[in-house]
């Protein structure tokens, strides 16, 4: 069995190039999840990726030659350009995508299955159409509820929900998403998340112990609550923030006014993991809503729990049942966040290390590339019988 994986995810090096570009605002969580899932698939199977990406556009690289492919972890990433005109982009992507899929299929006699990021309207629609006309099975990867995605047009949400019902197989983040998408009860696999370790990046770490946050700078993610709570603590530790979003200027102003706050800007995933590993604690302050608890899994919590630091997080029912006391759970209000931060920095070194080690055990058993690749292998063998 071989897999053709359709996604906007690209190699780690190319993603780092995108981050320095001014023409594209990327989605880190989408990049990281699919990049890790591709790696897990590739542990046991031949995988080739096709990714429409700005990394293929001439204007980004200032080069006469287009960047049409790259390799990482023995996986070939084939890049297709993205065009500004939506209608032109649809037809040109369709033609390029189908041509590339046919070429990959002809290169081997192995049975082929297409895996697609089901949250991408264009890719999921084209995958389903190709699968139907060429009698190839499509495995849809469901990572969110379209109804909860802000700034997505209603017509796009409805198209995604319609596409969800048409896949042959499913990989979903949790049971609620599977129930939403897999209305015909077809074979499915639940993967709550994946821990992927990047090669260690060189960073200039603070001499003082620090609390670290990386993510989108949105009020709905608890960034303001975090800043207010931290400024009311009295320790010698610092707060380091990485990311971008509407609250960027707000964070910058807070950093200017307080020596204890430092804004790092947008970092590569390798740099983020380096800061996480050197932190005293990493924090997820995102307020919990009923819909989020039901349909979403905060990937940052899994990433933080994989690091060499403590993890502080607002409550999440599923993750709490898995990690229990290996994560310091808190409410999302200013007072609760402040108290939990202060409690974390008061911990004795032996207890802190014990908590971190316990979190690593949960990661190894449930979220490591090895654990996830075994789940995938068992699932593929089951549906291939």
């Amino acid at each position: 069995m071989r897999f053709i994986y359709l996604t906007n995810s690209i190699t780690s090096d190319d993603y780092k190039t995108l981050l320095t570009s001014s023409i594209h605002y990327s989605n880190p969580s989408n990049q990281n999840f699919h990049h890790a899932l591709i790696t897990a698939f590739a542990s046991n199977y031949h995988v080739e990726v096709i990714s429409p990406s700005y990394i293929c556009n001439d204007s980004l690289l200032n080069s006469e030659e287009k960047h049409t492919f790259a390799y990482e972890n023995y996986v070939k990433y084939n890049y297709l350009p993205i065009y500004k005109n939506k209608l032109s982009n649809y037809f040109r992507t369709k033609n390029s995508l189908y041509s590339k899929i046919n070429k990959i299929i002809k290169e081997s006699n192995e049975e082929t299955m297409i895996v697609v990021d089901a949250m991408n309207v264009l890719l999921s629609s084209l995958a389903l159409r190709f699968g139907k006309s060429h009698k190839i099975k499509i495995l849809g990867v469901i990572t969110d509820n379209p109804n909860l995605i802000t700034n997505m047009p209603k017509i796009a949400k409805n198209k995604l929900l319609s596409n969800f019902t048409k896949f042959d197989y499913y990989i979903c983040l949790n049971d609620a998403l599977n129930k939403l998408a897999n209305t015909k009860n077809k074979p499915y696999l639940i993967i709550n998340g994946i821990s992927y370790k990047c090669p260690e990046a060189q960073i200039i770490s603070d001499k003082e112990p620090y609390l670290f946050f990386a993510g989108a700078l949105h009020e709905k993610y608890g960034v303001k609550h975090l800043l207010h709570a931290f400024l009311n603590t009295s320790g010698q530790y610092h707060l380091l923030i990485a990311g971008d979003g509407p609250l960027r200027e707000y964070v910058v102003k807070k950093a200017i006014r307080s020596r204890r706050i430092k804004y790092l800007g947008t970092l590569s995933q390798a740099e983020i993991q380096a800061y996480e590993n050197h932190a005293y604690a990493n924090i997820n302050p995102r307020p919990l809503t009923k819909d989020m608890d039901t349909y979403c899994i905060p990937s940052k919590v899994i990433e933080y729990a994989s690091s060499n630091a403590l993890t502080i997080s607002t409550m999440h029912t599923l993750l709490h049942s898995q990690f229990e006391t290996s994560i310091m759970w808190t409410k999302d209000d200013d007072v609760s966040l402040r108290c939990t931060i202060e409690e974390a920095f008061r911990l004795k070194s032996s207890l802190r290390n014990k908590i971190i080690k316990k979190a690593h055990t949960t990661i190894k058993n449930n979220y490591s590339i090895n654990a996830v690749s075994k789940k995938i292998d068992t699932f593929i063998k089951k549906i291939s019988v």
Side-chain angles (χ1 to χ4, degrees):
M1 177 72 75
R2 65 184 293 163
F3 295 91
I4 300 174
Y5 202 119
L6 309 184
T7 174
N8 288 128
S9 185
I10 57 182
T11 69
S12 299
D13 286 343
D14 288 333
Y15 185 68
K16 188 174 181 178
T17 301
L18 268 190
L19 287 177
T20 62
S21 165
S22 61
I23 69 168
H24 178 62
Y25 177 74
S26 57
N27 183 338
S29 61
N30 184 72
Q31 159 70 19
N32 296 338
F33 179 83
H34 287 283
H35 182 266
L37 190 58
I38 289 165
T39 304
F41 264 97
S43 296
N44 296 303
Y45 299 97
H46 180 185
V47 181
E48 195 154 343
V49 176
I50 303 177
S51 173
S53 173
Y54 284 102
I55 200 68
C56 188
N57 290 42
D58 298 334
S59 57
L60 174 64
L61 298 176
N62 297 317
S63 171
E64 294 181 2
E65 295 184 8
K66 288 186 177 181
H67 185 50
T68 57
F69 68 91
Y71 286 91
E72 185 176 17
N73 298 326
Y74 303 102
V75 176
K76 183 179 182 182
Y77 286 72
N78 300 278
Y79 298 139
L80 306 178
I82 294 176
Y83 303 96
K84 291 183 179 180
N85 183 281
K86 290 185 178 181
L87 187 61
S88 175
N89 187 61
Y90 173 82
F91 286 106
R92 295 174 79 169
T93 300
K94 175 186 173 183
N95 293 336
S96 300
L97 186 72
Y98 287 0
S99 175
K100 184 65 69 175
I101 293 175
N102 280 318
K103 182 180 179 181
I104 294 172
I105 291 173
K106 290 177 181 178
E107 290 174 351
S108 173
N109 292 324
E110 285 184 275
E111 182 182 355
T112 300
M113 185 182 298
I114 294 176
V115 182
V116 63
D117 174 4
M119 307 309 301
N120 186 303
V121 178
L122 177 59
L123 292 181
S124 60
S125 299
L126 292 178
L128 287 167
R129 182 173 293 185
F130 186 92
K132 184 177 181 179
S133 61
H134 291 75
K135 297 182 179 179
I136 290 180
K137 300 294 185 182
I138 310 296
L139 192 166
V141 181
I142 318 288
T143 56
D144 207 344
N145 181 343
N147 293 316
L148 303 181
I149 301 176
T150 55
N151 301 323
M152 176 180 279
K154 187 175 181 179
I155 189 171
K157 293 181 180 182
N158 290 338
K159 182 60 177 176
L160 284 180
L161 290 168
S162 175
N163 285 349
F164 282 2
T165 65
K166 300 173 184 177
F167 298 119
D168 299 291
Y169 310 115
Y170 295 80
I171 289 179
C172 299
L173 274 187
N174 55 31
D175 290 319
L177 286 175
N178 181 62
K179 185 177 180 180
L180 173 74
N182 188 7
T183 57
K184 298 177 183 177
N185 198 29
K186 294 180 180 179
Y188 67 93
L189 174 64
I190 301 297
I191 296 178
N192 299 137
I194 314 173
S195 171
Y196 178 80
K197 293 282 189 179
C198 296
E200 185 77 10
Q202 295 297 316
I203 61 169
I204 301 175
S205 183
D206 266 30
K207 293 180 181 179
E208 299 290 340
Y210 64 86
L211 180 67
F212 182 67
F213 168 85
L217 304 183
H218 288 266
E219 187 167 359
K220 67 178 181 179
Y221 293 154
V223 175
K224 281 191 174 182
H225 283 301
L226 171 60
L227 287 164
H228 295 165
F230 182 80
L231 287 171
N232 283 313
T233 62
S234 56
Q236 296 301 311
Y237 41 87
H238 293 177
L239 170 62
L240 274 58
I241 294 179
D244 199 1
L247 289 182
R248 182 181 180 279
E249 291 304 317
Y250 181 85
V251 173
V252 170
K253 288 180 181 178
K254 291 292 184 182
I256 292 172
R257 292 173 184 171
S258 173
R259 294 179 181 178
R260 295 177 63 211
I261 298 175
K262 184 177 181 180
Y263 176 59
L264 303 172
T266 303
L267 304 177
S268 70
Q269 185 60 18
E271 290 168 328
I272 287 172
Q273 287 191 10
Y275 276 103
E276 289 168 352
N277 284 325
H278 288 87
Y280 181 91
N282 299 303
I283 187 165
N284 166 48
R286 184 173 183 175
L288 181 72
T289 64
K290 183 178 179 181
D291 283 337
M292 179 188 167
D293 196 39
T294 301
Y295 292 106
C296 305
I297 295 180
S299 58
K300 272 298 171 188
V301 177
I302 297 167
E303 183 179 310
Y304 290 161
S306 306
S307 74
N308 298 326
L310 277 175
T311 301
I312 300 172
S313 178
T314 50
M315 184 60 68
H316 186 279
T317 302
L318 175 65
L319 293 183
H320 182 266
S321 69
Q322 294 177 343
F323 286 94
E324 298 178 331
T325 56
S326 62
I327 287 176
M328 298 188 69
W329 302 101
T330 181
K331 294 179 181 179
D332 56 38
D333 61 277
D334 296 5
V335 174
S336 297
L337 284 168
R338 175 182 60 79
C339 290
T340 307
I341 291 169
E342 291 178 335
E343 180 187 353
F345 279 91
R346 286 197 301 264
L347 288 179
K348 291 183 178 180
S349 179
S350 58
L351 179 56
R352 175 178 177 270
N353 292 337
K354 185 178 179 180
I355 293 171
I356 294 169
K357 187 176 180 180
K358 186 179 178 182
H360 287 175
T361 299
T362 302
I363 290 294
K364 181 181 178 180
N365 293 338
N366 298 281
Y367 295 100
S368 66
I369 292 291
N370 185 53
V372 173
S373 66
K374 286 180 179 178
K375 291 179 184 179
I376 292 172
D377 190 39
T378 300
F379 177 65
I380 296 303
K381 287 177 178 176
K382 181 180 178 180
I383 63 178
S384 299
V385 175

